Amino acid sequence: MFTSTKNKIRPLLPGFLLSLAVAIVAKLSALLLPQLGGATLAILLGIILGNTLFKQPILAMGTKFSESRLLEYSVVLLGFTVTFQTIGEMGIKGLFFILLMMTIVITGAYLIGRKLGFNEKMALMMAGGNAVCGSSAIGAIAPSIEAKDEEKGQIITLVNLLGTVMMLTLPFLGITLFGDSLLPKSALLGGTLQSVGQVVAGASLVNPETVKYAMLFKITRIIFLVVVVFTFERKVQRDGLVEKTGGKKKFPIPWYVTCFLLFCIINSFFSLPLLFSDGAHFISTWFETIALAAIGLRLDFQKFLKEGPRFLLYGLSVGTLQTIAAVLFIFLLHI
């Protein structure tokens, strides 16, 4: 058993240790550049190093683990720092904002995709990936609509490209439009950015409070994933693109969202020692920084450029729609 565990851990070490090293350098550099912060420096250093010195395949498993698992653990620990009172500050307006955004993005991304000549399944994956939670949503939607692996890979690449561009630009747009107002900036980032990692990374460019509240908007979107998967599955069945099948389906809401909500409930109803929230915040911050370094290290610009102008036009159109809709709804709803 020990040997088996050792064999599983060993391939992860090169990429994980590199991600950790980049995170440590970023944290130390943040002492000299506090206006940027460790999170921002981690992802920027990762992008530079990942596209120059560290392209070796041996790093892939470890950086993937750091990007996905550590970020999931970070979200779980965030539950110890959030209560129902915090969630309540998002309010009915916040929930209505999310519902409006998801409706507009799903409808718009689907129609734009069909107009540009993408097939129905690719348009649905693009719609779900942008409306809900990026690659995770695409991974849940693809089997239910029987999408091809090649189609799924192309859309995941496109959604990640779009999310990366928005992650590096929307924080500054939020600061310009909303100044020191916490909820509007959080709604902009948590209501538009595609993956959990991009929300954390983008919000980290602003401040830790924005990370917390942006994640509330993001998690609200993720909870609706089960509805999106069910609706898309029924649509392709109705259109005759897949056969109706029985059998047990995997519940599409990610485990870390369930754990986040569980810890949030515990934190809301029980007075936990300060050690829990302080310790959770400390560990969560380090996990987050390592994960952001890994996200940067895994960002391959050459891979994105291979997809061609039609894909890039699709991404640009959907990203523009998301951004305009989010800013408009934030002002109209007075969030």
Side-chain angles (χ1 to χ4, degrees):
M1 185 175 176
F2 177 77
T3 304
S4 175
T5 304
K6 188 177 178 181
N7 289 337
K8 289 180 180 178
I9 293 175
R10 187 178 296 164
L12 301 177
L13 287 178
F16 168 74
L17 292 175
L18 176 60
S19 302
L20 175 62
V22 172
I24 292 171
V25 171
K27 286 277 194 181
L28 293 174
S29 301
L31 299 176
L32 301 175
L33 298 167
Q35 66 274 25
L36 288 178
T40 306
L41 290 169
I43 195 164
L44 291 178
L45 279 172
I47 289 171
I48 293 169
L49 294 172
N51 283 275
T52 53
L53 300 176
F54 297 104
K55 295 184 175 184
Q56 297 84 350
I58 195 175
L59 301 170
M61 286 186 66
T63 53
K64 178 63 177 176
F65 168 83
S66 301
E67 174 191 2
S68 55
R69 285 296 182 188
L70 292 187
L71 201 60
E72 291 169 357
Y73 299 152
S74 174
V75 171
V76 170
L77 292 171
L78 194 63
F80 280 115
T81 68
V82 175
T83 64
F84 285 141
Q85 183 180 359
T86 313
I87 295 173
E89 291 182 38
M90 191 177 81
I92 296 298
K93 288 182 180 179
L95 177 60
F96 193 42
F97 168 77
I98 292 298
L99 291 173
L100 284 173
M101 280 296 298
M102 291 184 68
T103 302
I104 289 292
V105 173
I106 287 173
T107 305
Y110 176 78
L111 293 176
I112 292 169
R114 298 297 282 157
K115 191 73 175 176
L116 290 174
F118 290 89
N119 65 44
E120 183 162 355
K121 293 180 181 181
M122 293 182 78
L124 286 173
M125 285 189 290
M126 183 69 172
N130 282 280
V132 188
C133 53
S135 302
S136 299
I138 296 168
I141 292 166
S144 69
I145 64 173
E146 297 182 8
K148 297 176 182 177
D149 287 342
E150 182 183 357
E151 295 171 339
K152 182 175 77 171
Q154 288 174 325
I155 296 299
I156 284 176
T157 299
L158 179 57
V159 168
N160 283 330
L161 169 61
L162 174 59
T164 301
V165 173
M166 293 175 70
M167 173 187 77
L168 296 173
T169 54
L170 285 188
F172 304 103
L173 176 63
I175 292 169
T176 301
L177 292 177
F178 307 118
D180 294 330
S181 299
L182 176 62
L183 277 182
K185 289 183 294 189
S186 302
L188 177 64
L189 298 172
T192 57
L193 291 175
Q194 284 73 2
S195 72
V196 171
Q198 288 155 2
V199 172
V200 173
S204 297
L205 299 180
V206 184
N207 56 46
E209 279 296 294
T210 305
V211 174
K212 181 189 296 185
Y213 283 88
M215 277 304 302
L216 295 180
F217 283 93
K218 181 62 179 177
I219 283 172
T220 304
R221 291 163 64 193
I222 295 173
I223 290 171
F224 283 106
L225 176 59
V226 63
V227 178
V228 173
V229 172
F230 178 82
T231 304
F232 286 6
E233 184 178 28
R234 291 299 176 271
K235 176 173 173 51
V236 293
Q237 286 178 354
R238 188 173 62 248
D239 294 344
L241 298 176
V242 300
E243 295 291 330
K244 291 186 179 181
T245 56
K248 192 175 179 181
K249 301 259 182 203
K250 183 181 177 182
F251 192 60
I253 295 180
W255 70 272
Y256 56 89
V257 174
T258 305
C259 290
F260 169 90
L261 293 172
L262 176 62
F263 289 145
C264 178
I265 292 169
I266 294 171
N267 196 30
S268 299
F269 286 99
F270 299 96
S271 181
L272 299 175
L274 199 60
L275 177 66
F276 274 88
S277 59
D278 288 350
H281 177 72
F282 176 81
I283 297 170
S284 176
T285 301
W286 267 102
F287 280 175
E288 175 191 313
T289 307
I290 296 168
L292 296 180
I295 289 173
L297 288 165
R298 292 178 61 80
L299 183 63
D300 187 350
F301 285 119
Q302 290 182 349
K303 183 179 179 182
F304 294 141
L305 294 175
K306 289 178 182 177
E307 297 298 345
R310 187 169 65 111
F311 277 83
L312 297 180
L313 178 60
Y314 193 11
L316 180 62
S317 301
V318 173
T320 301
L321 171 67
Q322 282 181 285
T323 303
I324 292 173
V327 171
L328 181 63
F329 290 144
I330 288 169
F331 278 113
L332 289 177
L333 294 171
H334 304 289
I335 292 177

